Amino acid sequence: MEAAELLPFLVPGARADLQAAAAQHVLALTGSGSGRTLLAGQAALLRALAELAVVPAPAPSRDASRALVNLAADPGMHRQLLAANPELPGRLLSCVLDPQWPWAEEAAAVLANLSRELAPCAALMEKVLAAEPERLGLERLVNALCTPTYNAAAPLHYLGPLLSNLSQQAEVRAFLLDPDRCVVQRLLPLTQYTDSSVRRGGVVGTLRNCCFEHLHHKWLLGPHVDILPFLLLPLAGPEEFSEEEMNRLPVDLQYLSPDKQREPDADIRKMLIEAIMLLTATAPGRQQIRDQGAYLILRELYNWEPEPDVRMSCEKLIQVLIGDEPEVGMENLLEVRVPEDVEHQLQQLDQQEQLELAQELRGRGAPQT
């Protein structure tokens, strides 16, 4: 059956059994690149699929939502999806934030995939930042993310990467870092959320993005937020320290259990290191991170770390902490202007590092991407 021939069975009013069969057929098509290419030229079908995804039972909205997840995972499909249904991000967000919607996880996954790209992310931003009476917005999104029982039928783990993608926007970071809202503090415990690496990784990515705002570093590292222990604890293992070293560590990192496990996901470990690296951008930040014994945790992590690229990031952070302070006028590393010739040299060094990393991976028999 041609893709276009499925359209009459996907529209409202179609016989339920035929509608379900058509939705399953479309879902199967979205599982392959050739199938997605076939659907890319079917604007009416994509529009019908989007409509079906937000219709309550008995409509096959779950299969329609899963098909949208697959389509949104392909960046080449984003333009077609939005052109077919410009209101798709807002309507899916309404489903995500409906505590009774059974397929809210699938809707969140579609939005997480879509928001990787600038245009869909901007469309979604308009809805997320909208005020009442729509009752959409970052406040509710963060509340859903931080409330595991928000929707009894859907865990909403994909709100993590969705918020991470959105936090690449300055307006979202401004909301998250508003001292009067106490938002970022609610996210911190989720760096230890064991039930889902998707949720945990999304939160860590969000915190890393917030750390780009160097004007907030003093607040983030200070007692009102105290972000550093939440970034270091997942990187800590069961190693024992001398009494003197132990006293340098934050209380939450002292006398950890002998069976303490480090963050198992290498990508999340790297994001945690990157977040701490960003917090070292200013001289006061570097000093505070030194004073809280971060080097001790990073030293043990470096000795343990099995992934070369994560170990390389860890080494760079250690060098910042144990190295000499920059000369006067260059204390803020995020504001330093690098001369063009020096930037070129640094790029060459980075390429050399990546080449050495690839050689090491090949030596270990790791698959190449």
Side-chain angles (χ1 to χ4, degrees):
M1 179 181 289
E2 292 290 334
E5 296 176 17
L6 295 169
L7 181 58
F9 306 108
L10 293 172
V11 297
R15 215 173 78 188
D17 59 334
L18 296 178
Q19 194 176 61
Q24 289 177 357
H25 192 76
V26 173
L27 175 58
L29 283 174
T30 64
S32 68
S34 58
R36 291 191 295 273
T37 300
L38 185 67
L39 293 171
Q42 303 292 329
L45 191 149
L46 293 176
R47 186 159 49 250
L49 189 68
E51 291 290 332
L52 197 59
V54 297
V55 176
S61 47
R62 188 180 195 184
D63 282 343
S65 296
R66 287 179 167 177
L68 288 177
V69 172
N70 291 343
L71 291 171
D74 185 344
M77 287 296 301
H78 289 180
R79 182 178 59 81
Q80 291 91 332
L81 282 172
L82 286 179
N85 194 333
E87 295 300 312
L88 179 62
R91 298 188 71 181
L92 288 174
L93 185 63
S94 297
C95 292
V96 168
L97 297 178
D98 179 355
Q100 306 301 320
W101 186 249
W103 319 128
E105 183 73 294
E106 286 80 1
V110 177
L111 292 176
N113 286 338
L114 276 178
S115 58
R116 295 175 186 171
E117 301 290 317
L118 184 60
C121 190
L124 183 58
M125 280 278 296
E126 292 181 15
K127 292 296 182 182
V128 169
L129 296 177
E132 306 293 343
E134 286 187 272
R135 296 191 60 78
L136 300 179
L138 286 168
E139 193 86 45
R140 293 183 65 203
L141 194 154
V142 170
N143 183 53
L145 175 62
C146 297
T147 308
T149 57
Y150 184 87
N151 185 327
L156 298 180
H157 296 318
Y158 280 91
L159 286 184
L162 172 58
L163 184 60
S164 179
N165 292 340
L166 291 175
S167 67
Q168 296 178 70
Q169 306 291 323
E171 304 97 313
V172 176
R173 295 196 299 274
F175 170 86
L176 296 172
L177 294 169
D178 185 343
D180 296 327
R181 291 184 182 274
C182 197
V183 177
V184 74
Q185 293 93 324
R186 296 184 64 192
L187 297 175
L188 294 176
L190 294 176
T191 61
Q192 292 284 297
Y193 188 80
T194 57
D195 288 354
S196 169
S197 62
V198 171
R199 194 190 211 102
R200 191 171 69 249
V203 167
V204 170
T206 301
L207 294 174
R208 178 197 58 186
N209 291 342
C210 287
C211 290
F212 276 98
E213 301 291 340
H214 67 85
L215 295 179
H216 291 270
H217 283 184
K218 183 177 180 180
W219 178 70
L220 286 169
L221 289 167
H224 292 294
V225 180
D226 196 21
I227 192 174
L228 187 60
F230 290 94
L231 300 177
L232 285 174
L233 185 57
L235 300 175
E239 293 83 10
E240 296 183 3
F241 297 102
S242 68
E243 195 70 24
E244 180 182 353
E245 290 178 326
M246 195 72 75
N247 289 334
R248 292 177 57 195
L249 294 169
V251 173
D252 290 342
L253 279 86
Q254 294 180 7
Y255 304 104
L256 299 179
S257 168
D259 59 356
K260 167 70 171 68
Q261 299 292 312
R262 287 185 172 87
E263 165 58 54
D265 188 296
D267 290 333
I268 298 179
R269 291 197 303 275
K270 189 173 183 180
M271 285 192 292
L272 288 162
I273 293 169
E274 290 168 349
I276 300 171
M277 177 69 91
L278 288 167
L279 290 170
T280 66
T282 63
R286 289 190 290 277
Q287 191 57 51
Q288 188 163 349
I289 291 170
R290 290 186 188 108
D291 291 344
Q292 290 190 271
Y295 166 73
L296 300 173
I297 301 297
L298 295 168
R299 179 189 68 193
E300 300 303 323
L301 171 66
Y302 178 81
N303 291 331
W304 169 88
E305 180 57 59
E307 296 298 327
D309 60 329
V310 183
R311 194 167 68 246
M312 189 181 298
S313 296
C314 185
E315 180 181 3
K316 290 178 179 178
L317 176 53
I318 289 173
Q319 290 297 335
V320 170
L321 293 177
I322 66 174
D324 295 333
E325 276 295 296
E327 62 185 74
V328 176
M330 303 184 69
E331 296 93 338
N332 190 326
L333 303 181
L334 288 177
E335 292 184 333
V336 172
R337 291 190 176 183
V338 181
E340 191 173 329
D341 59 328
V342 175
E343 183 177 4
H344 181 65
Q345 292 175 12
L346 291 174
Q347 289 174 347
Q348 287 182 323
L349 287 172
D350 188 57
Q351 291 172 357
Q352 181 62 31
E353 282 186 351
Q354 293 302 318
L355 179 61
E356 292 173 358
L357 174 60
Q359 290 173 341
E360 183 172 350
L361 287 170
R362 281 195 293 271
R364 293 170 53 192
Q368 298 298 299
T369 57

